[in-house]
Amino acid sequence: MVLAIAHRAGNSLAGMHAANELGVDVIECDVHTYRGRLEVRHLRTAGPLPFLWDKGELVSASAPRLGLQELLEADQHGTLFMLDVKGPWTWAGRNVARMLHDGGHHRPVLACGRWWPSIDAMAHLPYVRPVLSARNRLEMARLRRRLSRGPRPYGVSVHCSLLDRDVVRWLHEHVSVVMTWPVNDLDVLDHVLDLGVTGVISDEDHVLAVVKTRAE
């Protein structure tokens, strides 16, 4: 089975509902800690400047922001969320773990990130499935060393440019799920499925729909 993972769909309630209507397996959201609050959003803060930004997009910093607890409480489908914990701070993972525990959200969640100590800080919870992410060749080399030594995570999320059949085969020997991104057209989908990945992360509904169709 190949997981259809809706990239960033959990960054808004409308996106979460749309992804659930599509029937995806996993909904991903970006989790930021800001002034002690866990927020889900793709846009980044700009220090003391009064806006959030990303690639030319600007939004007032005073605009309402969706909280992680609010997102989880709004879920009516038993969604499997993938929490992409942002920032090179171990305490970010601790904050998420504390919120899940104290907030009573004890259903399975995937915890993903490029700062692995933050993900490790969540791994003690029995309902958290840790996923280590690698974006570049340096991170990929570190990932191979980490998997060779252990402890082994539930899965990995690796940029598609870093994968070939041998790499995917080796990863499957060490983890349960090998995910990749970005998979936003059908040619790339065919390529990564041929490599043997078992999780497809996409922004595009039509790609996710094809993943679901092929899994049936």
Side-chain angles (χ1 to χ4, degrees):
M1 176 181 176
V2 178
L3 297 175
I5 304 163
H7 188 221
R8 300 177 184 166
N11 288 349
S12 69
L13 296 182
M16 176 185 70
H17 294 316
N20 275 320
E21 287 295 316
L22 186 63
V24 302
D25 301 298
V26 181
I27 292 179
E28 187 260 4
C29 61
D30 301 310
V31 181
H32 298 261
T33 302
Y34 184 71
R35 295 181 178 176
R37 181 174 185 263
L38 293 170
E39 302 175 346
V40 288
R41 53 180 165 82
H42 178 60
L43 297 175
R44 291 170 281 184
T45 57
L49 300 178
F51 56 80
L52 305 176
W53 70 280
D54 185 67
K55 296 180 181 178
E57 182 180 359
L58 294 178
V59 175
S60 171
S62 62
R65 305 186 197 178
L66 180 63
L68 177 59
Q69 183 72 42
E70 182 184 355
L71 173 72
L72 298 178
E73 291 177 350
D75 174 40
Q76 301 295 318
H77 292 80
T79 298
L80 177 58
F81 288 100
M82 182 159 72
L83 311 180
D84 188 351
V85 182
K86 299 297 186 180
W89 311 287
T90 305
W91 49 258
R94 294 195 190 105
N95 288 345
V96 176
R98 186 179 304 113
M99 191 227 68
L100 293 173
H101 180 270
D102 295 347
H105 185 88
H106 297 167
R107 297 196 305 271
V109 296
L110 307 180
C112 178
R114 294 170 67 187
W115 180 250
W116 304 337
S118 188
I119 305 308
D120 291 338
M122 305 174 63
H124 67 284
L125 295 174
Y127 40 86
V128 169
R129 302 172 183 171
V131 176
L132 305 183
S133 184
R135 172 64 180 82
N136 54 49
R137 293 188 181 280
L138 177 60
E139 292 176 350
M140 187 64 193
R142 290 177 53 234
L143 180 62
R144 295 185 74 124
R145 292 195 297 270
R146 164 66 184 266
L147 295 180
S148 296
R149 293 194 303 263
R152 295 181 178 181
Y154 169 74
V156 295
S157 176
V158 178
H159 193 276
C160 63
S161 65
L162 303 173
L163 298 178
D164 59 34
R165 284 191 182 88
D166 290 338
V167 169
V168 172
R169 186 181 304 111
W170 187 89
L171 291 170
H172 276 304
E173 293 173 357
H174 294 80
V175 298
S176 298
V177 178
V178 177
M179 310 175 191
T180 193
W181 91 97
V183 185
N184 289 329
D185 65 61
L186 296 181
D187 288 339
V188 176
L189 175 62
D190 288 339
H191 172 66
V192 298
L193 291 180
D194 185 58
L195 296 181
V197 303
T198 48
V200 170
I201 304 171
S202 180
D203 300 281
E204 301 296 332
D205 286 355
H206 73 281
V207 172
L208 295 168
V210 171
V211 175
K212 292 297 297 180
T213 299
R214 294 187 182 182
E216 293 174 355

